[in-house]
Amino acid sequence: MSFFAPVPLAPRDPILGVTEAFNADPRPDKVNLGVGVYLDESGRIPVFASVKTVKKALATDLAPHSYLPIDGFAPYNAAVKELVFGPELAASGRVATVQGLGGTGGLRIAAGVLAGIAPSAKVLVSDPSWENHESLFSRAGFEVGHYPYYDPAGRRVDVEGMLACLRAAAPGTIILLHACCHNPTGYELAAGDWDAVVAACAEGGLVPFLDMAYQGFARSVAEDAEAVAKFAAAGLSFIVATSCSKTFGLYGERVGAVSFAAAEADEAARVLSQAKVVVRSIYSSPPSFGAKTVASVLATPALRADWEAELGSMRDRIKDMRAAFRTGLEQAGVPGDLSYITHQTGMFSYSGLTPEQMRRLRADFGVYGLESGRLCVAALNPGNLSRVTEAVAAVIRN
Ligand code: LMR
């Protein structure tokens, strides 16, 4: 009998598996609102003008392809650190930043480091959260639980429930938070709520771990990092995973990072040494193209300004699509208050549709979203909007 004979077939990934099913669908007018990828008016992933400029320059650079250091391209790590933490903390030496394979890779490096430091700690993720959070931390050996986050009846964040859960958590519990553009719900904590979360983490001796994959998609690059600034101002030790997939449109280049904000520089250096042990044992060192591209954009003032402006117009386009989607549903006679569509932030609308309705959306109309009801409104455009709106209205009506 083959060694592999007893291996069971794993289910498709709840997000990337939707893209697999979408790609296999022969219908020409199908629409993929599953994965969190920004598409422009014509339904394509845009290449930022700033990224194009750097790509052209890199294409003429015939330097040898040596290994990057284990922790990645130093100018990239420095630029990301400043983007996430601001210049003062970035210069303090208290933060160790490691290049990762996308935001997921950053999360995984940190999970490996945490498994070495605190293997019996429990990880709490929001209910609901990005599907991969739970799987990533469980496979790193952690027991994963949930804190209340979304209140479906009130279509709001259950701040009271969340805080009560955090206040009851054992010291050392790792709390996975979404710094902005909560995935999948799009509901954010208000500034005062963040203060209360920071206080609960400080008082309870919890380990805050912020996932910030969408910096710049809610308000602005600086404003979306305000939660990070609050944890830093409270003097806490915490972790931040970041991604350049959406913010630079570099999805396939797998460029992200994880940063460890420690109490002082020597501590940060020791944590960095542990992160390098984790990286070396998984993939040795990261690829260079995406990191060099991002570093160059961020280090060149004109390109950086251009990048922020382009990110701003993407944000505005998503807001326009939210408004048009909401109006379309209202005009199609969908009952109830649909203001949640324009109230949510980031790439997703948490529609409240049931798994059964989402399956019908896919089977009957070729509109693909997640079973959780999450729809990527960043993939809406004038060409597919009415089709999506009619399909969603139809599944809601019957
Ligand atoms: C998403 O939530 O769709 C993205 O973060 C892509 C992914 O890796 O799941």
Side-chain angles (χ1 to χ4, degrees):
M1 174 166 131
S2 160
F3 171 69
F4 298 114
V7 175
L9 185 68
R12 270 185 168 161
D13 182 79
I15 299 177
L16 300 184
V18 171
T19 302
E20 290 166 9
F22 174 82
N23 288 340
D25 186 334
R27 286 173 287 185
D29 52 359
K30 61 189 176 175
V31 183
N32 189 0
L33 306 182
V35 69
V37 170
Y38 177 91
L39 302 179
D40 65 14
E41 296 262 309
S42 56
R44 279 197 287 267
I45 297 176
V47 182
F48 283 75
S50 52
V51 167
K52 257 185 215 157
T53 304
V54 175
K55 274 175 79 166
K56 281 185 194 144
L58 287 175
T60 60
D61 174 7
L62 300 179
H65 301 274
S66 186
Y67 291 124
L68 282 184
I70 297 172
D71 52 333
F73 186 52
Y76 166 80
N77 288 338
V80 165
K81 197 185 294 189
E82 198 187 311
L83 197 65
V84 173
F85 295 91
E88 204 180 312
L89 187 54
S92 71
R94 274 181 49 207
V95 182
T97 298
V98 182
Q99 185 183 329
L101 305 181
T104 311
L107 287 160
R108 187 61 187 80
I109 294 168
V113 171
L114 290 166
I117 304 172
S120 50
K122 189 168 175 185
V123 177
L124 293 183
V125 305
S126 60
D127 179 17
S129 196
W130 180 51
E131 277 84 346
N132 208 20
H133 279 147
E134 184 163 347
S135 146
L136 189 147
F137 282 102
S138 326
R139 290 193 78 88
F142 290 99
E143 182 193 341
V144 180
H146 297 90
Y147 58 83
Y149 188 82
Y150 178 59
D151 164 17
R155 285 205 186 267
R156 59 187 273 277
V157 181
D158 175 7
V159 184
E160 307 77 23
M162 174 180 181
L163 288 172
C165 181
L166 298 193
R167 287 179 187 133
T173 304
I174 297 157
I175 311 296
L176 199 289
L177 300 152
H178 300 234
C180 63
C181 305
H182 184 268
N183 179 3
T185 69
Y187 287 98
E188 306 260 56
L189 291 173
D193 302 332
W194 275 115
D195 291 333
V197 168
V198 171
C201 290
E203 283 154 24
L206 309 178
V207 184
F209 190 154
L210 281 77
D211 188 354
M212 185 161 66
Y214 297 87
Q215 184 179 7
F217 278 93
R219 291 178 291 159
S220 67
V221 170
E223 288 167 294
D224 288 358
E226 276 171 6
V228 176
K230 283 180 185 293
F231 282 96
L236 295 181
S237 299
F238 64 104
I239 304 160
V240 188
T242 48
S243 169
C244 298
S245 298
K246 345 276 173 179
T247 51
F248 286 82
L250 288 167
Y251 304 88
E253 297 303 333
R254 308 311 297 134
V255 58
V258 65
S259 299
F260 303 87
E264 36 87 26
D266 181 63
E267 198 177 290
R270 282 181 277 120
V271 177
L272 174 62
S273 73
Q274 294 298 334
K276 286 166 69 177
V277 171
V278 171
V279 169
R280 177 69 171 139
S281 66
I282 312 179
Y283 57 85
S284 198
S285 65
S288 60
F289 177 77
K292 286 187 175 162
T293 306
V294 171
S296 187
V297 169
L298 292 177
T300 315
L303 294 181
R304 185 187 163 130
D306 211 42
W307 165 69
E308 271 203 65
E310 205 168 339
L311 189 55
S313 33
M314 289 161 70
R315 187 169 62 232
D316 291 343
R317 201 192 77 77
I318 298 174
K319 286 185 184 149
D320 290 348
M321 285 298 106
R322 283 187 184 280
F325 183 41
R326 174 182 166 184
T327 307
L329 290 179
E330 285 166 350
Q331 284 170 352
V334 171
D337 177 7
L338 302 182
S339 61
Y340 67 90
I341 297 171
T342 42
H343 181 64
Q344 294 162 341
T345 58
M347 285 197 180
F348 307 116
S349 181
Y350 206 48
S351 65
L353 296 187
T354 63
E356 168 56 24
Q357 287 173 319
M358 294 305 290
R359 284 193 286 270
R360 279 186 45 222
L361 207 52
R362 180 191 299 202
D364 298 350
F365 302 95
V367 174
Y368 286 68
L370 304 191
E371 290 234 335
S372 67
R374 190 189 87 169
L375 296 169
C376 180
V377 286
L380 289 175
N381 63 51
N384 63 25
L385 186 70
S386 57
R387 182 174 164 65
V388 170
T389 308
E390 282 158 24
V392 172
V395 300
I396 290 175
R397 275 197 303 261
N398 41 63

